């Protein structure tokens, strides 16, 4: 198995040592599995249905006992820990959240603190804090019952409840699998923000490679009962370890990279720029000097207004203002390349304007198809080397044989 060690400055929180699980009917669900997860690391377990992901996860909180091998939690062999004690150190989130229907959202969230014997007030206070953290205003949702929530909101409550006793480890088994794709993406983004704050050690099961790539610090790609590759998303996508992994991540992995690579300032070209109140003669001059076929038009605050083609600038009199065309293809800096590509296609545009991500509208430059392709290449190369994208030089587009 291809295996990258977790970052060594962190301690190891979860360790599997030659773990095998054979069910009574003879099914080998997990076969001689060894891996480590660092403290604060989010590892996604991804693979097709039936490959042993849930079995792996349930062995961590002893809902299932291994047939062979040992599992350690923060250095302790879990077979020596009372399961009830063990589960207090491990939050668990599943697809069928299993909220108590007759308890309010606040009470549901406070379940574990309550079981742990926290004072009522303290438990509720903590629950309210957690609801806030997962984006549910406790004063609005705290008093509701689960059936009064959407599917996405129920999943948020499930996450809040799992975090309520502040366990160091979270196990999440396809937690966002039952919600629609739009809500799902929102939950994923929220969860990433949350994880950046709470830094739990997370094992996250999914059958969706896209979800695995988006969320994982590292990904364990499962074959039948075994891990075929355990590495960063970029390496799994850019350098699949086996034909099986290559097949699983799919031929469209360039497309997947598009969705995880942001537009950066260094990707932008600087076309000639004119202002609304410039005389057309100035625009003509500038375009000619650059040999360009169009210029970007900015307003007095240097915000994007539109563009003007060289033909217009050359033939007419007056100011740029009367001839400027509206710009429909634009993006904020930091948007994924995928969105840039979609915008180009949607507006049939040879280039798109990129503006300040803070929404001030300040014009930063333009992204062309050639630069988009370069950015994608650089992203794949950089991630294979695990360095920031901007530090990797790439050959020109012509040079990479496009
Ligand atoms: N209680 C069980 N008894 C027998 N076989 C089981 C049991 N639970 C799971 N399995 C089998 O073990 C394999 C792995 O299952 P599971 O860990 O649930 O996979 P995944 O979560 O990746 O879909 C499958 O072949 C499944 O049918
Ligand atoms: Mg499963």
């Amino acid at each position: 198995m291809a295996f990258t060690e977790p970052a060594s400055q962190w301690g190891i929180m979860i360790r599997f040592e030659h773990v095998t699980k054979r069910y009574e009917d003879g099914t080998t669900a997990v076969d001689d599995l060894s891996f480590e997860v660092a403290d604060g690391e989010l590892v996604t377990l991804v693979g097709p249905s039936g490959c042993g992901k849930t079995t792996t996860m349930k062995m961590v909180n002893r809902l299932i006992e291994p047939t062979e091998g040992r599992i350690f939690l923060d250095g302790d062999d879990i077979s020596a820990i009372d399961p009830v004690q063990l589960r207090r150190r491990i939050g668990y989130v599943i697809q069928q959240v299993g909220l108590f229907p007759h308890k309010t959202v606040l009470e549901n969230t406070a379940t574990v603190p309550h079981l742990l014997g926290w004072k009522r007030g303290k438990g509720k206070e903590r629950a309210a804090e957690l609801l806030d953290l997962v984006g549910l205003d406790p004063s609005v949702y705290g008093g509701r019952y689960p059936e009064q929530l959407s599917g996405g909101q129920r999943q948020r409550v499930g996450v809040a409840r799992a975090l309520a006793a502040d366990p160091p480890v979270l196990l999440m088994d396809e937690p966002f699998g039952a919600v629609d794709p739009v809500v799902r993406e929102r939950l994923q983004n929220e969860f990433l923000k949350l994880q950046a704050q709470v830094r739990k050690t997370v094992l996250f099961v999914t059958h969706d490679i896209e979800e695995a790539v988006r969320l994982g610090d590292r990904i364990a790609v499962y074959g039948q009962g075994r891990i075929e590759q355990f590495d960063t998303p970029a390496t799994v996508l850019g350098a699949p370890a086996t034909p099986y992994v290559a097949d699983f991540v799919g031929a469209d992995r360039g497309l997947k990279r598009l969705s995880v690579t942001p537009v950066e300032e260094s990707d932008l070209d600087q076309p000639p720029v004119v202002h609304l109140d410039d005389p057309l003669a100035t625009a003509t001059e500038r375009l000619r000097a650059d040999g360009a076929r169009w210029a970007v038009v900015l307003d007095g605050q240097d915000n994007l207004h539109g563009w003007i083609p060289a033909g217009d600038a050359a033939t007419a009199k007056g100011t740029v203002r009367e001839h400027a065309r509206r710009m429909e293809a634009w993006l904020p800096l930091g948007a994924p390349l995928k969105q840039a590509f979609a915008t180009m296609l949607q507006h049939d545009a040879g280039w798109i304007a990129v503006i300040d991500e803070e929404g001030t509208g300040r014009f930063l430059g333009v992204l062309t198809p050639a630069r988009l392709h370069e950015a994608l290449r650089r992203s794949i190369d950089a991630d294979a080397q695990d360095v920031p994208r901007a530090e990797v030089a790439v050959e020109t587009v012509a040079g990479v044989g496009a």
Side-chain angles (χ1 to χ4, degrees):
M1 161 185 107
F3 187 90
T4 304
E5 298 293 333
S8 58
Q9 71 267 29
W10 293 337
I12 299 303
M13 182 57 79
I14 299 170
R15 177 177 168 80
F16 273 59
E17 246 181 44
H18 300 290
V19 174
T20 294
K21 175 64 187 179
R22 264 183 303 276
Y23 287 109
E24 280 165 22
D25 64 1
T27 308
T28 303
V30 166
D31 187 10
D32 192 24
L33 207 59
S34 297
F35 65 87
E36 289 178 341
V37 181
D39 187 9
E41 195 179 22
L42 197 171
V43 168
T44 48
L45 312 183
V46 67
S49 179
C51 65
K53 306 180 297 293
T54 294
T55 301
T56 302
M57 181 154 284
K58 285 184 168 175
M59 288 193 289
V60 178
N61 61 7
R62 296 191 62 186
L63 289 172
I64 294 175
E65 297 291 343
T67 316
E68 284 164 38
R70 298 199 300 171
I71 300 168
F72 297 86
L73 185 79
D74 202 9
D76 302 327
D77 185 336
I78 64 166
S79 67
I81 307 175
D82 170 65
V84 175
Q85 296 290 337
L86 177 69
R87 284 169 208 154
R88 288 180 185 169
R89 294 161 64 180
I90 302 175
Y92 189 42
V93 188
I94 54 174
Q95 196 177 104
Q96 305 308 330
V97 182
L99 298 178
F100 300 111
H102 306 301
K103 287 188 173 182
T104 64
V105 165
L106 195 71
E107 288 162 351
N108 264 291
T109 308
T111 304
V112 181
H114 185 64
L115 287 175
L116 292 179
W118 291 22
K119 288 221 179 70
R120 231 187 167 72
K122 190 177 157 220
K124 293 223 160 140
E125 207 176 287
R126 171 72 181 159
E129 227 177 271
L130 260 311
L131 286 174
D132 210 30
L133 202 59
V134 298
L136 294 174
D137 182 346
S139 68
V140 176
Y141 296 100
R144 289 200 189 173
Y145 290 89
E147 64 171 18
Q148 297 170 309
L149 301 180
S150 70
Q153 289 167 340
R154 276 198 288 270
Q155 289 308 130
R156 289 189 184 91
V157 177
V159 173
R161 185 178 60 177
L163 287 169
D166 206 17
V169 173
L170 267 189
L171 304 179
M172 306 179 77
D173 196 345
E174 311 223 19
F176 310 143
V179 294
D180 69 68
V182 175
V183 174
R184 185 172 204 192
E185 194 164 329
R186 198 177 311 143
L187 288 171
Q188 290 167 349
N189 290 334
E190 288 171 6
F191 182 66
L192 281 177
K193 277 196 201 129
L194 179 66
Q195 168 65 357
Q197 291 180 56
V198 300
R199 270 287 152 209
K200 301 297 178 188
T201 304
V202 184
L203 278 187
F204 188 110
V205 163
T206 176
H207 60 263
D208 174 7
I209 182 71
E210 196 133 6
E211 182 165 74
V213 164
R214 182 172 297 152
L215 297 183
D217 294 316
R218 288 187 302 157
I219 309 178
V221 182
Y222 273 65
Q224 211 52 54
R226 312 182 69 102
I227 295 177
E228 297 267 335
Q229 187 169 18
F230 194 135
D231 216 317
T232 60
T235 304
V236 170
L237 293 181
T242 64
Y244 170 87
V245 175
D247 198 40
F248 186 72
V249 303
D252 58 344
R253 68 173 184 269
L255 285 177
K256 282 163 192 149
R257 289 226 53 84
L258 275 178
S259 61
V260 297
T261 307
V263 174
E264 292 177 2
E265 212 153 354
S266 58
D267 298 328
L268 306 182
D269 281 342
Q270 298 301 329
V273 163
V274 296
H275 284 86
L276 279 172
D277 292 324
D278 286 343
L280 275 176
T282 309
T284 308
E285 225 170 275
R286 206 157 294 162
L287 282 160
R288 214 171 270 148
D290 267 56
R293 284 176 293 125
W294 45 268
V296 168
V297 178
L298 305 183
D299 68 12
Q301 277 79 53
D302 280 347
N303 288 350
L304 180 66
H305 179 88
W307 64 289
I308 182 166
D312 281 27
T315 56
K317 298 198 188 315
T319 65
V320 168
R321 186 182 294 276
E322 292 101 63
H323 297 276
R325 310 203 175 171
R326 271 189 44 173
M327 173 79 68
E328 277 165 359
W330 59 271
L331 279 179
L333 191 71
L337 293 180
K338 183 175 166 185
Q339 192 182 335
F341 190 45
T343 305
M344 275 179 196
L345 292 177
Q346 187 187 343
H347 298 287
D348 196 18
W351 51 277
I352 50 182
V354 175
I355 63 171
D356 204 296
E357 59 195 316
E358 304 309 328
T360 59
R362 195 167 61 88
F363 172 75
L364 298 174
V366 302
L367 187 69
T368 62
R371 297 303 300 272
L372 188 151
H373 180 248
E374 255 178 64
L376 180 62
R377 291 289 320 181
R378 197 159 62 237
S379 161
I380 291 169
D381 293 350
D383 285 331
Q385 298 166 32
D386 232 2
V387 294
R389 181 159 66 93
E391 289 168 24
V392 176
V394 282
E395 299 166 79
T396 61
V397 174
V400 296

